[in-house]
Amino acid sequence: MSRARGPSLIAGSDEAPEGVHPTNKASRISSPGDVVALAALACGGVVGLALLPAILGVRCVRGLYQAGKKICSKDPVLDPDMAQDCDGIWPFSEKPGGGGAQQFPEGTKRLAGYVKMSDGVRIAVDVLLPPCAQGADGTFHPVPCVVHMARYWRAWEMRWPIRELLNRGEPWDFLLGPWKSALLESGFAVVSADVRGAGASGGVQSVVWSPRETQDTLELIDFIVGVNQPAGRQPWSDGQVALFGVSYDAGAAVRAAAHKHPAVKAVVASFLFGDIWRELFPGGIMNRWFLQSWCNVNSRLDNARLAAIHPFSPLIMKGAAPASSRKQLSRCVSEHRGNWDLMSAAGSIKAIDDPVAIGSGETMTCQNLELFANPLPSLDEPRQSFFYSMSQGKAVLPALAASQLPTLLISGWACVTSGTACAAFSALAGQHWRLLLGPWNHGGVQHVRYCRETKLLKFPKAKAVQEFLLYHMPRQGFAQSSVPAWLASPKPEVHFYVCGASPAWQHSTEWPPKNVVKKQLWLSTSQLTWTKDDLEHEGSTQLPKATASRQLVWGGVSRYSAMIRMMDLVRYKWKASAVAKGRALLFETSVCPTTLAVIGSAVLTLRLRSSKDQDADIFAYLRERPPDGGDLVYITEGALRLSYRREEEAPDHEKAADPHSSDSSMASFGVVPHHSYRRQDIQMLPAEGWDPPDVCQRVP
């Protein structure tokens, strides 16, 4: 890998110095806003004291009620105790690993500043150094470092006196702070940077995950390890780098890792989006609420409109942590006004190959963001286009596999990214690849427990990242007493959580696991039967008629809304009146004589006829009837717009993730159906009747 120009470290003016420098802790009251915030908090405190007796009374009554429920409950399935949700490899913990809940480990040193990219854009960077990287005489002891490119601010600066109570007065990362704390406790330096167009960085985001963002990551690594740098390697770096990210940041990490920078030794990608269309347009139906909410949040963050996030936000926080002076921060934020408006572009998309305009004036499609097939852009030569001047090499994930980098993929069953994680591992996993699939929503904030109440309590995912990186990037003077069992073998390995009445962790050296088999159920009148012979009669069933209003059969907080409202617990409740009111059809099996575990993708096959040429959206839900006969429990769902029913041969990575079957009766079902979603394949359901081989949609 070579680039004509690298990032520069130049002695800048007093207002905007490039490079990273020690930070001075802000004075206790540093702005008029601090005074206003303190006055507002004082008034709020007086009101809070007046209401304190009532608040305590309500909490006591609620606590006694919950304790009584626990004592009276004799059903172990409904017992809220989560101690059984663990094993020897993934022990359960109520506290996230690393440095406490809201602070970095004692002795952590923060350096902050700007690193100028080869095109002149300044990227805001924080370097967090563990105590072991700091000498008593002010020198540094080189350690491995973990690079994180942040879309949602690398750190937040709080107002006084809140900042005195949080992270010892230093800025705090509300999304990934516990992860960073765990890495610091393990002796890693953490380099966290705002992507261009966001936070305290300058520049403009012309499109999500642009090749220019990837080049920024690689140039930042050059800056750390001394490539094209007159001053050489940073004194706190030993030359080893790992890439880490969650959600959007995971996409930035794997795109950079695929370019095989010689300093990169490992990559950790959590909740990675790999096929944007199928993840955010399931069945061809735009997840409009999520996309609009996500775009609104980004716009407010990029333009530092804290009051739009929450009216009281300006009272407790100042905004993105500055990398130098506030004048430079304001200049960088003003540049963000030119950021690409994703929602305006997405609103015109009707098919996977529809072109949309991006900030650079070029066009792209959703296919350009797919990680399994879209070729990597060349960063070594001048490009006429961000997307179409492609090298002839591999796509992002195949290139990552070819690099032979140790890779840890993390996702959750209640997250749309689980399909990407399973497919990537199935088709591409090499030595030292690990896949962790837990009972989590997007981001892993919630432990979504089917048949029981969702909790915010977490498994120690940060501990898994610690162990993985320590094994593959050992630091000098660190003696690893024993290799964790899940890392002992170089063979790829997956650890997955089986939910339900008897939750447990399981592991396999391949995905799907060898013992997974396909089972077929048949639709009958209000029944699901295991054999076709049990069908009551061959006939047809009328689907619920479409109306101008929404046909809600489930209510509450779904796994999709919890992707944005992360503190709102997933509580998706079945509306029992939906069937009686003709809003839904319900098909149910008899009581299963043995425990049934469903792993992978469920497939619904329908044969439909229509009275006229028309389109419709079909939603299908997989749910469970608890042993006590209570309300139906949501497991997952699938959707398909019927005009998108055209199928094509599935790509190799989807075939690899689909269980093989020795049952000849399942041969006609093949792999999980792959709909084309291309503009030319859109077709209304014909009035003369239609009897296709399959109309089905993957259920993640």
Side-chain angles (χ1 to χ4, degrees):
M1 181 190 69
S2 63
R3 288 180 292 280
R5 296 181 58 194
S8 59
L9 174 58
I10 305 172
S13 65
D14 290 340
E15 289 187 350
E18 278 87 17
V20 290
H21 311 278
T23 57
N24 295 319
K25 210 171 180 178
S27 57
R28 293 197 170 187
I29 299 180
S30 57
S31 68
D34 287 350
V35 177
V36 174
L38 182 60
L41 290 172
C43 293
V46 172
V47 175
L49 285 174
L51 297 176
L52 184 60
I55 295 173
L56 291 177
V58 170
R59 289 196 172 184
C60 288
V61 171
R62 184 178 298 171
L64 290 172
Y65 173 71
Q66 294 293 341
K69 279 181 63 179
K70 184 173 180 179
I71 292 172
C72 296
S73 175
K74 297 180 180 180
D75 189 348
V77 173
L78 302 178
D79 187 352
D81 182 16
M82 298 172 66
Q84 61 178 311
D85 299 348
C86 65
D87 68 2
I89 297 178
W90 302 109
F92 178 77
S93 172
E94 294 190 8
K95 297 175 65 177
Q102 299 295 323
Q103 65 181 14
F104 294 138
E106 184 74 39
T108 298
K109 184 172 186 177
R110 174 176 172 259
L111 312 177
Y114 284 98
V115 176
K116 184 183 284 187
M117 298 291 103
S118 58
D119 63 351
V121 171
R122 291 179 172 89
I123 298 299
V125 176
D126 280 358
V127 178
L128 305 174
L129 298 178
C132 63
Q134 308 166 44
D137 56 355
T139 59
F140 296 104
H141 300 310
V143 294
C145 88
V146 179
V147 172
H148 163 240
M149 302 300 292
R151 177 64 184 90
Y152 315 108
W153 294 4
R154 74 197 192 285
W156 298 60
E157 185 182 28
M158 311 304 292
R159 293 193 182 278
W160 189 87
I162 301 299
R163 64 170 168 262
E164 299 300 325
L165 306 174
L166 182 71
N167 200 28
R168 306 182 183 92
E170 292 286 358
W172 179 251
D173 183 345
F174 286 98
L175 292 178
L176 300 182
W179 299 74
K180 294 178 180 179
S181 294
L183 294 170
L184 289 166
E185 285 188 342
S186 298
F188 293 107
V190 178
V191 178
S192 192
D194 290 323
V195 300
R196 63 173 55 213
S201 288
V204 172
Q205 186 183 64
S206 61
V207 68
V208 292
W209 296 301
S210 73
R212 181 62 247 189
E213 276 188 22
T214 300
Q215 188 161 342
D216 291 343
T217 306
L218 297 173
E219 290 184 4
L220 181 59
I221 296 172
D222 287 348
F223 168 75
I224 294 168
V225 301
V227 175
N228 298 326
Q229 298 295 304
R233 181 192 300 170
Q234 295 297 305
W236 37 264
S237 168
D238 70 356
Q240 297 183 95
V241 173
L243 290 163
F244 166 78
V246 177
S247 191
Y248 183 100
D249 309 345
V254 298
R255 284 171 170 84
H259 283 277
K260 303 181 183 179
H261 194 294
V264 176
K265 306 301 179 184
V267 59
V268 177
S270 298
F271 306 94
L272 171 70
F273 287 97
D275 188 341
I276 289 296
W277 176 271
R278 289 175 172 81
E279 290 158 338
L280 299 183
F281 292 74
I285 305 168
M286 180 190 292
N287 190 339
R288 188 174 297 275
W289 179 89
F290 168 77
L291 280 171
Q292 185 66 69
S293 300
W294 186 75
C295 291
N296 290 343
V297 168
N298 286 335
S299 176
R300 293 162 185 169
L301 291 175
D302 296 346
N303 295 284
R305 294 189 290 115
L306 293 181
I309 297 174
H310 192 281
F312 294 141
S313 295
L315 297 178
I316 60 176
M317 58 185 66
K318 291 186 174 182
S324 62
S325 68
R326 294 203 167 276
K327 289 184 179 179
Q328 180 61 30
L329 174 62
S330 297
R331 280 195 288 267
C332 287
V333 170
S334 67
E335 295 176 15
H336 303 169
R337 295 169 188 162
N339 280 1
W340 181 52
D341 186 349
L342 182 149
M343 197 60 205
S344 295
S348 65
I349 297 175
K350 300 297 182 184
I352 194 172
D353 55 352
D354 280 350
V356 296
I358 62 175
S360 63
E362 306 160 69
T363 59
M364 60 164 283
T365 71
C366 288
Q367 292 168 309
N368 293 124
L369 300 175
E370 201 258 333
L371 297 182
F372 291 97
N374 190 41
L376 280 171
S378 172
L379 302 182
D380 296 327
E381 301 174 0
R383 302 185 310 281
Q384 297 299 317
S385 165
F386 271 133
F387 290 100
Y388 296 131
S389 295
M390 299 290 187
S391 66
Q392 297 301 312
K394 295 181 172 64
V396 173
L397 287 174
L400 176 63
S403 71
Q404 299 183 348
L405 275 178
T407 300
L408 173 59
L409 300 173
I410 301 176
S411 189
W413 292 126
C415 177
V416 296
T417 66
S418 57
T420 288
C422 291
F425 186 88
S426 301
L428 304 170
Q431 287 196 342
H432 300 296
W433 275 54
R434 294 294 183 270
L435 171 61
L436 173 60
L437 287 166
W440 307 309
N441 72 322
H442 187 68
V445 177
Q446 301 182 31
H447 178 189
V448 182
R449 305 187 304 157
Y450 302 105
C451 299
R452 294 178 294 167
E453 186 179 5
T454 295
K455 299 287 187 180
L456 283 176
L457 305 178
K458 304 177 182 70
F459 286 87
K461 296 178 290 296
K463 181 176 182 293
V465 176
Q466 281 178 309
E467 294 179 343
F468 181 80
L469 294 181
L470 277 174
Y471 180 73
H472 294 292
M473 292 200 311
R475 59 183 177 85
Q476 293 182 356
F478 179 80
Q480 189 166 324
S481 58
S482 61
V483 177
W486 69 291
L487 297 173
S489 171
K491 293 182 179 180
E493 193 167 309
V494 55
H495 292 259
F496 60 99
Y497 184 89
V498 177
C499 306
S502 302
W505 284 94
Q506 298 184 20
H507 67 91
S508 172
T509 57
E510 61 184 7
W511 190 265
K514 289 183 179 179
N515 60 343
V516 174
V517 296
K518 292 183 179 180
K519 298 289 289 185
Q520 189 171 341
L521 284 163
W522 298 87
L523 294 176
S524 180
T525 305
S526 72
Q527 289 185 334
L528 279 174
T529 64
W530 289 103
T531 63
K532 193 173 183 179
D533 296 336
D534 293 336
L535 294 178
E536 292 182 2
H537 64 276
E538 292 288 343
S540 61
T541 302
Q542 174 69 48
L543 289 175
K545 293 183 179 180
T547 66
S549 60
R550 292 187 299 170
Q551 298 291 299
L552 291 180
V553 296
W554 295 86
V557 180
S558 72
R559 60 177 179 171
Y560 297 109
S561 52
M563 292 170 69
I564 296 291
R565 304 193 321 235
M566 292 186 174
M567 295 296 106
D568 292 350
L569 297 180
V570 174
R571 293 190 176 109
Y572 215 31
K573 300 297 184 183
W574 165 258
K575 294 185 176 298
S577 62
V579 175
K581 293 181 179 180
R583 296 176 179 174
L585 300 177
L586 178 62
F587 301 90
E588 193 164 0
T589 68
S590 56
V591 177
C592 295
T594 59
T595 301
L596 178 67
V598 179
I599 296 175
S601 297
V603 174
L604 171 64
T605 300
L606 298 176
R607 303 185 187 279
L608 301 178
R609 297 183 186 277
S610 172
S611 60
K612 59 182 179 179
D613 291 355
Q614 60 181 334
D615 203 359
D617 294 342
I618 302 294
F619 294 85
Y621 300 89
L622 182 66
R623 85 291 177 274
E624 179 183 7
R625 177 81 69 184
D628 62 358
D631 290 339
L632 301 179
V633 176
Y634 165 87
I635 304 298
T636 189
E637 84 285 336
L640 178 65
R641 181 159 291 168
L642 294 182
S643 57
Y644 293 88
R645 63 189 180 274
R646 177 68 178 272
E647 295 180 23
E648 62 184 7
E649 184 177 358
D652 291 342
H653 62 273
E654 290 188 7
K655 291 179 181 178
D658 193 54
H660 299 290
S661 177
S662 58
D663 186 349
S664 59
S665 66
M666 298 293 292
S668 61
F669 286 80
V671 298
V672 173
H674 184 83
H675 300 280
S676 73
Y677 299 119
R678 288 191 295 269
R679 169 70 65 172
Q680 67 183 32
D681 295 333
I682 298 176
Q683 184 181 14
M684 297 296 107
L685 193 66
E688 64 271 14
W690 177 60
D691 196 16
D694 287 307
V695 176
C696 37
Q697 169 60 25
R698 169 182 180 169
V699 181

